[in-house]
C-alpha cells in the first residue's frame, strides 16, 4: 500500500480539532497508554528518540487542550488534538 499522512482540522464547540491520520503499522492496544511517555517507542523498528509524542502532549496540555489516539495494528493510527479557541 502507498503510505500517507492526512491532516484535517475543523472548529467545534469552541475548540480547534486537528486529526492526524496515517496508514502505518499501527499501535497495539496494550501500548496506546504509553506512547505519550518520555523516551517510549512502541516498536523496536523505530529510529526516533521517543520524545515527539511526549513533547506534543506537553505542548497541547499547556494550551489547555488534549490529545487522544485511536489505532489498529496493520491499519494505522489517528491522533486527535483538541485546543480551546480564544474567546
Amino acid at each position: 500500500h502507498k503510505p500517507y499522512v492526512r491532516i484535517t482540522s475543523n472548529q467545534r464547540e469552541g475548540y480547534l480539532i486537528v486529526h492526524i491520520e496515517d496508514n502505518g503499522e499501527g499501535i497495539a492496544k496494550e501500548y496506546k497508554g504509553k506512547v505519550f511517555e518520555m523516551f517510549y517507542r512502541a516498536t523496536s523498528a523505530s529510529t526516533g528518540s521517543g520524545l515527539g509524542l511526549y513533547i506534543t502532549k506537553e505542548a497541547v496540555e499547556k494550551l489547555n487542550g488534549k490529545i487522544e489516539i485511536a489505532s489498529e495494528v496493520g491499519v494505522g493510527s489517528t491522533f486527535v488534538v483538541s485546543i480551546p479557541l480564544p474567546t
Side-chain angles (χ1 to χ4, degrees):
H1 68 263
K2 187 174 182 177
Y4 71 83
V5 174
R6 179 180 303 126
I7 301 171
T8 58
S9 65
N10 60 48
Q11 292 183 24
R12 186 174 61 230
E13 299 174 7
Y15 284 84
L16 171 65
I17 313 292
V18 180
H19 294 256
I20 302 99
E21 175 187 356
D22 69 33
N23 64 340
E25 63 185 67
I27 300 167
K29 189 181 301 184
E30 61 267 25
Y31 301 127
K32 286 183 195 176
K34 296 181 178 187
V35 297
F36 297 108
E37 294 177 8
M38 188 182 300
F39 304 123
Y40 185 80
R41 296 182 304 176
T43 175
S44 59
S46 172
T47 58
S49 63
L51 289 173
L53 288 173
Y54 170 78
I55 291 169
T56 300
K57 183 175 188 279
E58 290 294 310
V60 167
E61 288 179 348
K62 293 253 188 255
L63 296 169
N64 297 315
K66 66 180 181 176
I67 183 168
E68 299 171 291
I69 180 175
S71 189
E72 187 176 337
V73 173
V75 176
S77 302
T78 300
F79 292 87
V80 180
V81 176
S82 305
I83 300 171
L85 294 169
T87 53

